[in-house]
Amino acid sequence: MDAREPGEEEGHQLTTDNNQQAENVQQITEAKDADDRQARKQETGSLQHSFIAWRKSKLEKKKQKELDPILSLPRDDPIRMAYLRQRFVDLARQYVGVPYGRKFHEAEGCECEGCVESGRQLFRDKFSLDCCGLVRKVLRDLEQELGFRIGRGNQAYQYDTLPLRVDSAQELQPGDLVFYSGVYVNPKSKPHPSKMTHVEIFVGGDSGEATIGSRERLRWVKEYPSYNFNAKRWTLLEMFYCRIDTWLQGACVPEHPDLWKSKAERWKGEVAKYSIFSGEGDEDADADDEGEDC
């Protein structure tokens, strides 16, 4: 057994305490260094995120700056109108594949012809677009450029806001609209004003008659080779060919405002249960509440 001089035991304990203190200091230092490294890493990530956001913002501003000369032109300028007309068609094409209406599909295990053909459960799609819902959605996408926000009225309302009409599809330009008036097969279906039953967006295409529209309840928005077709739910009376020039110039005023006053009051401040603006459901869920949907 080691023999220690008086005071040696106390010195040994002091040394042990000093070593322990040094170890504690080292652990604290290492922990602080680790925290500093993590902070620098987070800062670097934050800087990268900030740079990406800044670059995206810069590119968007550059793109907007390039468009400003066009959008700053007079509203009736042919260049400005041609640009907005092409935007209208391009946006409509983005919605090809969106279901006509979620309400026509089973919530689980739907085996309708549309779900089977597509291999999808169409009820699960985030939103849907019938014929007038498609036109409305494109117009609302262009709200800032056009300078107005179209109301929730259906195809009959949209028709009433377009006073420029031509005699044939040969006189239409891409983006113009083809409206269909007809008589519903179901005698219980209440007709819309002007007996307007359907609308599609004219694009012309290779056939010279192509349209983008939503005409099949169990399917989706499609680009069709022709505006001519036989509807199942209504019998065609007449087709109307409407230019959208007034919309492109920022005007969306119904020719018969008295027809829509009651609707405006009923829809004022209301967000439809199935509207995409409430986060889920149909873009046009309440547009057909006085008759069949288009």
Side-chain angles (χ1 to χ4, degrees):
M1 184 174 181
D2 292 339
R4 288 191 175 93
E5 295 293 330
E8 186 175 354
E9 183 66 32
E10 181 179 350
H12 176 74
Q13 183 63 42
L14 182 61
T15 301
T16 301
D17 292 343
N18 288 340
N19 290 340
Q20 184 63 47
Q21 184 177 5
E23 289 180 6
N24 292 339
V25 170
Q26 184 177 359
Q27 291 176 357
I28 293 173
T29 302
E30 289 176 351
K32 186 176 183 303
D33 289 343
D35 291 342
D36 290 342
R37 286 194 299 272
Q38 183 65 25
R40 286 194 297 272
K41 183 176 180 181
Q42 291 176 349
E43 183 179 0
T44 300
S46 178
L47 288 173
Q48 289 175 342
H49 177 75
S50 298
F51 175 76
I52 292 172
W54 170 81
R55 180 169 176 78
K56 182 179 180 181
S57 175
K58 186 176 180 180
L59 290 174
E60 289 177 351
K61 288 180 180 179
K62 181 180 178 182
K63 183 177 180 181
Q64 188 62 41
K65 187 175 181 180
E66 292 172 351
L67 295 178
D68 279 345
I70 296 177
L71 296 178
S72 63
L73 292 171
R75 289 189 175 274
D76 60 352
D77 186 279
I79 296 176
R80 188 181 194 277
M81 292 178 65
Y83 165 74
L84 290 175
R85 183 179 287 277
Q86 186 59 52
R87 284 272 291 147
F88 191 91
V89 173
D90 291 343
L91 286 168
R93 281 202 172 99
Q94 288 185 11
Y95 295 111
V96 169
V98 173
Y100 177 102
R102 294 172 66 245
K103 62 185 178 182
F104 300 110
H105 303 278
E106 298 293 334
E108 297 292 339
C110 185
E111 297 181 356
C112 75
E113 56 193 63
C115 289
V116 171
E117 179 183 331
S118 66
R120 298 153 54 195
Q121 286 294 294
L122 298 177
F123 181 87
R124 297 177 184 173
D125 279 46
K126 293 182 179 180
F127 67 101
S128 57
L129 296 169
D130 63 11
C131 72
C132 52
L134 172 63
V135 174
R136 184 186 310 108
K137 185 69 176 71
V138 174
L139 286 175
R140 289 186 174 179
D141 288 346
L142 287 171
E143 182 177 337
Q144 289 188 332
E145 292 96 323
L146 294 175
F148 68 85
R149 180 177 178 81
I150 193 166
R152 291 195 58 81
N154 57 31
Q155 63 275 9
Y157 171 79
Q158 293 168 359
Y159 172 77
D160 201 42
T161 67
L162 293 172
L164 300 180
R165 294 154 194 172
V166 295
D167 295 330
S168 68
Q170 285 69 38
E171 300 175 69
L172 296 177
Q173 297 181 40
D176 289 333
L177 302 182
V178 180
F179 288 90
Y180 305 72
S181 69
V183 177
Y184 289 115
V185 174
N186 184 352
K188 295 182 180 180
S189 297
K190 185 177 179 180
H192 298 297
S194 302
K195 296 184 178 180
M196 208 58 63
T197 56
H198 187 61
V199 62
E200 295 192 357
I201 301 169
F202 180 83
V203 294
D206 295 337
S207 68
E209 298 183 351
T211 56
I212 299 173
S214 188
R215 61 172 75 154
E216 302 169 84
R217 280 184 171 182
L218 299 181
R219 289 183 169 81
W220 45 85
V221 176
K222 294 182 180 181
E223 184 164 341
Y224 295 96
S226 176
Y227 57 85
N228 284 302
F229 72 100
N230 294 318
K232 296 180 180 180
R233 301 189 310 279
W234 44 269
T235 302
L236 179 68
L237 292 177
E238 189 176 358
M239 284 186 282
F240 298 88
Y241 310 102
C242 295
R243 302 289 298 273
I244 63 168
D245 296 48
T246 50
W247 285 355
L248 300 177
Q249 294 172 11
C252 182
V253 181
E255 185 178 356
H256 305 93
D258 289 344
L259 284 174
W260 318 108
K261 281 185 178 179
S262 59
K263 291 182 175 65
E265 290 298 321
R266 186 168 70 254
W267 293 332
K268 187 176 181 181
E270 180 181 343
V271 178
K273 178 181 178 182
Y274 295 105
S275 167
I276 61 169
F277 302 104
S278 66
E280 63 174 345
D282 300 341
E283 159 67 7
D284 195 47
D286 65 348
D288 63 330
D289 58 353
E290 291 196 359
E292 283 218 15
D293 43 4
C294 50

